[in-house]
Amino acid sequence: MKIVALVRPAGEVPEAAQVLAAAAGMAPAEARMRLAPEPPALLARLAPEAADALVKRLQDAGLAALAIDEAETAERVTARTVTFGATQGTFTPRSGAPLTLAWEDVTVILRGNSSVRTQSEHTEKKTSVALGTALITGGLKMTKTTETSVRGSQEETSQQFFVFDRDGRGAVIPELGLDFSCLGPAMQPSRTANMVALSKLLRERAPTAFYDERLLRLGRRPLPFVLGGAVQIVSGATSHSRINTAQGLDVLAEAMRQGVARGFLP
């Protein structure tokens, strides 16, 4: 399957919604809704042939659209440490071979934000002495049982950097799991400050790369419709609903990388 994305605003293209509606088989109102979010915006998830045909029609209408193969977003190294050499950077994962990128070949640096929101619900039963019930039943029933629904919610947010070179090779630098001692003298006392320091170092090493922080706000949106919704797990009497926006962030980053490679951005 392929995901069709728009990487630049539709602007004043009047037929954009009509083209999307006709090509994807949706109502004009739904097409307008899908074109409304700030790009990169995910428009549809289709079979490869249908996705390519939709992209061609959108591009013919003057829109910066592209199709992303879902398999392309998985071929990246998630760094545990980063070595900032003078001419190249080495991204070493927790296991597996490291990835080395020449700074002059780095074309895209993206800073994004994702969150994991977990909601749980279970029922608690409480038994207590009921004097009224005892009097009515002549002591045959002394207690009463009440049930209460207990809900809980937890959210964990973290940042990531996506670094791509001109050949499409990429590294993900996560806030959670990164050994910040690789920053050397630039290391800060908090994770957030370390991500700021990391941003500065990356931009200094690759000054010609396209840099964007749009995914800091876009990455925390609920999973786009093309990627599914929440995952629900029922265990015994407890129900857990879990929404992870990292998958959506990964696809949005790939859309921006391809947008730069094809001349749609900046």
Side-chain angles (χ1 to χ4, degrees), residues 44-147:
R45 182 175 181 268
L46 303 168
E49 298 80 7
D52 292 339
L54 173 58
V55 166
K56 186 178 185 306
R57 293 191 63 178
L58 294 175
Q59 289 180 353
D60 289 344
L63 298 173
L66 50 83
I68 306 168
D69 191 328
E70 289 182 333
E72 291 182 8
T73 63
E75 298 175 0
R76 298 173 191 160
V77 168
T78 300
R80 168 64 175 166
T81 63
V82 182
T83 302
F84 291 91
T87 60
Q88 61 185 24
T90 301
F91 304 86
T92 305
R94 189 177 295 275
S95 62
L99 173 67
T100 299
L101 302 177
W103 295 123
E104 64 179 3
D105 291 336
V106 173
T107 57
V108 180
I109 300 173
L110 305 174
R111 185 179 177 188
N113 205 20
S114 66
S115 62
V116 176
R117 294 188 292 276
T118 303
Q119 295 179 324
S120 62
E121 181 176 355
H122 65 276
T123 301
E124 292 184 352
K125 293 183 179 181
K126 182 179 180 181
T127 301
S128 59
V129 176
L131 296 179
T133 302
L135 292 174
I136 293 173
T137 62
L140 295 177
K141 183 174 177 61
M142 302 290 293
T143 62
K144 66 176 181 179
T145 301
T146 58
E147 292 187 357

Side-chain angles (χ1 to χ4, degrees), residues 138-186:
L140 295 177
K141 183 174 177 61
M142 302 290 293
T143 62
K144 66 176 181 179
T145 301
T146 58
E147 292 187 357
T148 305
S149 182
V150 180
R151 297 179 176 88
S153 179
Q154 182 178 356
E155 180 173 358
E156 183 177 42
T157 301
S158 62
Q159 296 184 37
Q160 297 179 28
F161 281 97
F162 296 87
V163 182
F164 301 101
D165 73 356
R166 64 182 74 259
D167 294 327
R169 297 185 301 165
V172 180
I173 309 175
E175 177 182 355
L176 300 177
L178 183 69
D179 181 2
F180 287 110
S181 64
C182 64
L183 294 174

